[in-house]
Each structure stands twice: as structure tokens, then as C-alpha cells.
Amino acid sequence: MAGKKKILFFAHYYAPDTASTGQILQDQAEGMLGEFDVTVICVVPSYGGIIEEKCKTQKYFFEELNGVKIIRVRVPEFSKKNKMSRIKNITAYFFGAIGASRKAGKQDYVFTISQPPILGGLLGVLGKWQKHAKMIYCIQDFNPEQIMAVQYSNNRIILKALLMMDKFSCRHSDLVVTVGRDLVETLRNRFKNRNIPKYTMINNWIDEKAVYPLPDDNEHVLAFKKKYGLDDKFVIMYSGNIGLYYDLENLVKTLKQFRKGYTQNGTYEEGPKTADGREVVFAFVGAGSVLDKLVMYTKKHHFENVIFIPYQDKADLIYSLNAGDVHWCVNAKGIKGVSCPSKAYGIMGVGKPIIGVLEQGSEVRMLIEEIGCGKCCEPGNYAEIVNIIRWYIENTNTGEEKIMGMRGRKYLEKNLTKDVSIGKYVKSILEL
């Protein structure tokens, strides 16, 4: 009887790092062990930029985690606010991963994702050539389209070169996987609907057995709320990367209409209360490149009902998500067809309703509207965002919010579970 096929993952971040792609890839790698012998190449734990001293002592670190072989690459520390330090960190991973793949032995398949931007795809191509293997390229985010959407760079020569490089990676893939229907359209448009690489669409997921609704009196949820001053409050929560692609700086400005605190002329505003008498609190859970700007803005304008909470360990995610009454799922304008906010699946997992600030026709907005598990509007329509927040505040005593949230949970249990999506990956790869 032949042994299992071997598959090599280029993962960039992997457990215990808290990056969303790292958590997805851990689920996927471990979920594929029944069919494959899995090896992952990633960086040493460093998502926050800081690296433990024990991870600086050698170039490569070898370990096994839950049956998955891991080769970790040493990289320099970095600051998310410093472009050059991030470039050095990513470049070190790229070249380190090429060296690490030589130590991974024979492989039948190479699986890579679109992180780091452009380089993730190129790693897959190099790994394919090196291992004489079939390549699967999972595009979580299209770049340079994402860079262009948020005007991170306007250098046309560089952007054109980056697009050529990523199209090269797509062409050399045996299978391109996108995570949304709108991303499929972007892939087709890249190639003007001619000679399109073989592709399939597979949604991301949440582990529904690890992230699920908890009762309001759960002791861990109550402890989380008490720790961060959320007890007996109506919590509108954002959980995830507080970065460039979410228009969070402008969204925070809309919250001035719901502010509790002193105004510039010295008067005190009590802030809104729900129909059932609770104070309204806006909680931001996570970290990222615009976090400091949000903190500075809320301090300058004396927001007492905006609270910032650090990233939670994966094991505690269920408690923090359950602590929110309503959750944001947002993208900046121009992200449709470029990126798909996976945080929606975690919100559905705990059965909470969604405020979706997402473009019409984007994958997650289509899901929210098809399921009926939230209210949506276009990015940049700040007046409608305010109206949606008001609707949630004013309808806490109707039960509609809970019904909306549970619609999302029921849909997820049927269509967006870990086993369903990973099963699609296994089937698609074995058919190559």
C-alpha cells in the first residue's frame, strides 16, 4: 500500500502566532493529516514584531505540532509602523523559506498563500520547481490590487511590475484557490477571461466546535467583560487586525454621535442607552498599524465609551467574541474582489449580528444579505453607518438581534464549517 502524499505549506505565520491566515492554515494543515504528510515552513513566532531570545540562536528551528512537521525561519524583529523594518523582515522570510524548503525532502504538492504579498506566490513557484511538485496557490488577498485600493503606493512602474509577478505565479500554478465569488471575478479580469489558470472557490471558515454561542452568564465571558469594563454594557465590537484596509479612522469619527464624555466646551455628554437601559460601549480588540491613531483620536475627543483591548489568545477567542452584542465586519472602499474579511465567520460562529460596512457584490456582504444575519451599507456611507448603529441600539428589546445572529450560526453549521471547507481542499488537490 502506497504511503500518504506529501504536501509542503509556505505559511509565513503559523501557530502560535495570532495572524488570521496562520490560524486558518493551522486548521487546514492539521485537517489534512488524514490524507497527507504535512510540512509547514513559517517564521518563528513574531506576529507582533517581537521575537523571543530563544528564537534568535539559529537559522532554522525544527519541531512537530499536533502531527504537522514545522520548519521555522529566523527573521529580524520589526515595527508595523516602520516600512523598512517590515520589508527586511519579509525579505528574510522569503530567502529563509527557500533555504528551508531544501531541508523538507521530497514533496508531491506545494501549497502557498498570497502572504507575504507577491512573494508568497513566488515562493510557491520556486518550491514547485525545486520539488518537481504540483502547486496550489491560495489567494486570500489580491496584490497589487489591494495596495492600489488603499493608495499605499501610486508608483505605476512598481505596481505594474508587481502585477506581472503575481500573474506569473498564477500561470505557473496547477490550481488557484480564491476565497470569494468576487475574487473569482478579479482573477478572470486579470487574464481578460482568456487562458485563465485552473481555479476553484473555497470559503474560509471557523472551527464551529471551538467558537460557538455561550450563555450570557458564562463565567469566562463575565470575567472578560469585568476585566475590560464591559459588564452590564451593550457592546459593539470590532475584533481583528486594526490595519490599513478597514477605514477605521473614519469609522471612529462617526462614533462622536454616540460619545460619552466631556466636550471641548466643557459640557458632559451621557452617551446613548439601549431600550433595555444599558450604556453603549465600542470595543476594539486587536492591534495593527492604525491602532495608535485611533487611541490618540479618542483621547483627544474624550471618548469614555471606546475601549481598546489587546489580541486574545486563540483559546480565549470564544469568550471575547461572545462578549460583543453586535460585531463590525468592515472593509475600505475598493477592497471588493481584492480581499475577504474572514472575521465574519467568527461572528457567525458565536451567533452574533453583524454591522457590515462592505461593498455591494463582495463575498461577505452577499453572505450576510443572503442569510439575513446583519445589516449592511457601502464603505464611506457614514450617515447610513450611524443609522445602523442606532437601529441596533433602539431594538435591543425586540429579540430581532438574537434571531439575526442565530441565522448566521445555523448557516455556518451547514456550509462554512472547518470540515466542509478542508474537505473541498483535499478533494481539489487529489484531483490534480
Side-chain angles (χ1 to χ4, degrees):
M1 181 178 175
K4 293 179 182 178
K5 295 282 189 178
K6 295 179 181 291
I7 186 166
L8 176 66
F9 278 67
F10 289 106
H12 194 193
Y13 293 112
Y14 193 79
D17 273 324
T18 56
S20 59
T21 51
Q23 294 175 31
I24 288 169
L25 287 173
Q26 182 186 13
D27 285 345
Q28 187 172 343
E30 293 176 7
M32 293 171 67
L33 285 171
E35 299 286 345
F36 298 96
D37 183 304
V38 184
T39 301
V40 171
I41 294 175
C42 59
V43 296
V44 295
S46 55
Y47 184 59
I50 305 299
I51 298 172
E52 294 183 36
E53 289 300 319
K54 66 180 181 180
C55 296
K56 299 177 181 179
T57 57
Q58 58 199 61
K59 193 170 183 179
Y60 302 112
F61 298 83
F62 300 83
E63 64 178 274
E64 187 170 309
L65 178 64
N66 299 334
V68 176
K69 303 181 188 72
I70 301 175
I71 306 174
R72 297 192 188 273
V73 177
R74 183 185 67 198
V75 290
E77 293 187 340
F78 68 96
S79 167
K80 292 191 175 183
K81 303 173 192 173
N82 186 311
K83 283 186 185 180
M84 190 52 63
S85 74
R86 295 192 76 170
I87 290 170
K88 287 179 180 177
N89 176 275
I90 289 169
T91 303
Y93 164 66
F94 178 76
F95 288 106
I98 293 171
S101 65
R102 298 192 187 101
K103 302 176 181 295
K106 181 184 180 300
Q107 300 290 326
D108 299 292
Y109 304 97
V110 170
F111 185 98
T112 193
I113 65 169
S114 52
Q115 292 291 333
I118 311 300
L119 298 182
L122 292 177
L123 272 177
V125 176
L126 294 172
K128 171 181 178 169
W129 291 346
Q130 186 184 84
K131 300 299 180 184
H132 305 288
K134 292 182 177 178
M135 173 189 167
I136 301 92
Y137 184 18
C138 177
I139 299 182
Q140 297 279 341
D141 310 289
F142 272 103
N143 274 294
E145 289 92 338
Q146 186 170 231
I147 295 170
M148 295 160 64
V150 297
Q151 299 182 333
Y152 192 67
S153 171
N154 292 311
N155 189 311
R156 292 186 179 182
I157 295 174
I158 291 175
L159 293 172
K160 186 175 181 180
L162 293 176
L163 180 58
M164 289 176 62
M165 291 164 69
D166 208 53
K167 287 174 70 175
F168 171 86
S169 298
C170 291
R171 284 195 185 98
H172 285 80
S173 303
D174 294 279
L175 179 68
V176 175
V177 181
T178 73
V179 295
R181 287 165 280 182
D182 51 333
L183 275 72
V184 169
E185 290 306 307
T186 299
L187 178 68
R188 295 180 65 88
N189 290 337
R190 268 189 173 188
F191 293 92
K192 297 179 172 57
N193 286 317
R194 293 181 298 175
N195 301 317
I196 305 164
K198 183 178 180 180
Y199 69 87
T200 189
M201 194 282 280
I202 303 174
N203 286 110
N204 285 336
W205 61 87
I206 195 72
D207 183 351
E208 78 287 356
K209 296 172 186 173
V211 178
Y212 49 86
L214 293 172
D216 294 338
D217 60 355
N218 178 274
E219 61 177 315
H220 298 290
V221 176
L222 291 176
F224 177 87
K225 286 185 172 183
K226 185 173 183 179
K227 181 176 181 179
Y228 295 107
L230 306 178
D231 39 345
D232 301 319
K233 305 290 197 302
F234 181 74
V235 181
I236 300 176
M237 181 177 285
Y238 176 91
S239 178
N241 179 31
I242 303 176
L244 292 171
Y245 307 119
Y246 311 105
D247 195 31
L248 293 174
E249 292 177 71
N250 285 318
L251 287 179
V252 163
K253 292 176 183 177
T254 68
L255 304 185
K256 284 184 74 174
Q257 299 187 52
F258 305 98
R259 187 174 64 85
K260 175 183 178 182
Y262 283 98
T263 64
Q264 289 183 334
N265 62 16
T267 59
Y268 190 80
E269 295 179 343
E270 291 291 342
K273 289 189 177 182
T274 61
D276 54 9
R278 287 176 289 166
E279 291 184 6
V280 176
V281 170
F282 298 90
F284 290 82
V285 183
S289 56
V290 303
L291 174 61
D292 288 349
K293 291 181 180 179
L294 302 191
V295 172
M296 287 175 62
Y297 182 85
T298 55
K299 283 185 176 178
K300 178 180 178 181
H301 294 278
H302 307 286
F303 282 83
E304 293 180 11
N305 58 339
V306 175
I307 297 170
F308 296 96
I309 299 170
Y311 264 122
Q312 300 300 296
D313 292 337
K314 187 176 180 181
D316 295 329
L317 183 64
I318 183 174
Y319 308 124
S320 63
L321 290 177
N322 271 282
D325 293 283
V326 181
H327 284 262
W328 295 96
C329 185
V330 303
N331 263 346
K333 196 169 186 63
I335 296 298
K336 173 193 169 185
V338 172
S339 183
C340 189
S342 296
K343 60 174 61 66
Y345 307 121
I347 302 167
M348 292 180 196
V350 295
K352 301 292 183 177
I354 298 173
I355 301 174
V357 186
L358 305 159
E359 289 169 279
Q360 188 80 39
S362 60
E363 176 66 23
V364 171
R365 178 160 176 175
M366 286 192 286
L367 284 174
I368 293 169
E369 291 177 338
E370 289 162 5
I371 299 164
C373 62
K375 289 184 169 292
C376 297
C377 68
E378 288 290 311
N381 189 346
Y382 304 113
E384 185 59 22
I385 292 169
V386 168
N387 289 338
I388 291 173
I389 294 171
R390 283 207 178 107
W391 185 91
Y392 278 112
I393 292 171
E394 292 169 0
N395 284 273
T396 52
N397 60 347
T398 65
E400 179 62 20
E401 293 169 25
K402 293 187 181 298
I403 293 170
M404 292 167 70
M406 291 314 297
R407 285 188 197 125
R409 173 69 194 186
K410 289 175 181 177
Y411 182 89
L412 180 139
E413 289 173 352
K414 288 184 179 179
N415 304 284
L416 298 171
T417 67
K418 182 173 72 170
D419 289 346
V420 166
S421 289
I422 294 175
K424 291 178 181 178
Y425 273 102
V426 170
K427 184 175 184 291
S428 296
I429 293 169
L430 290 176
E431 288 176 349
L432 291 177

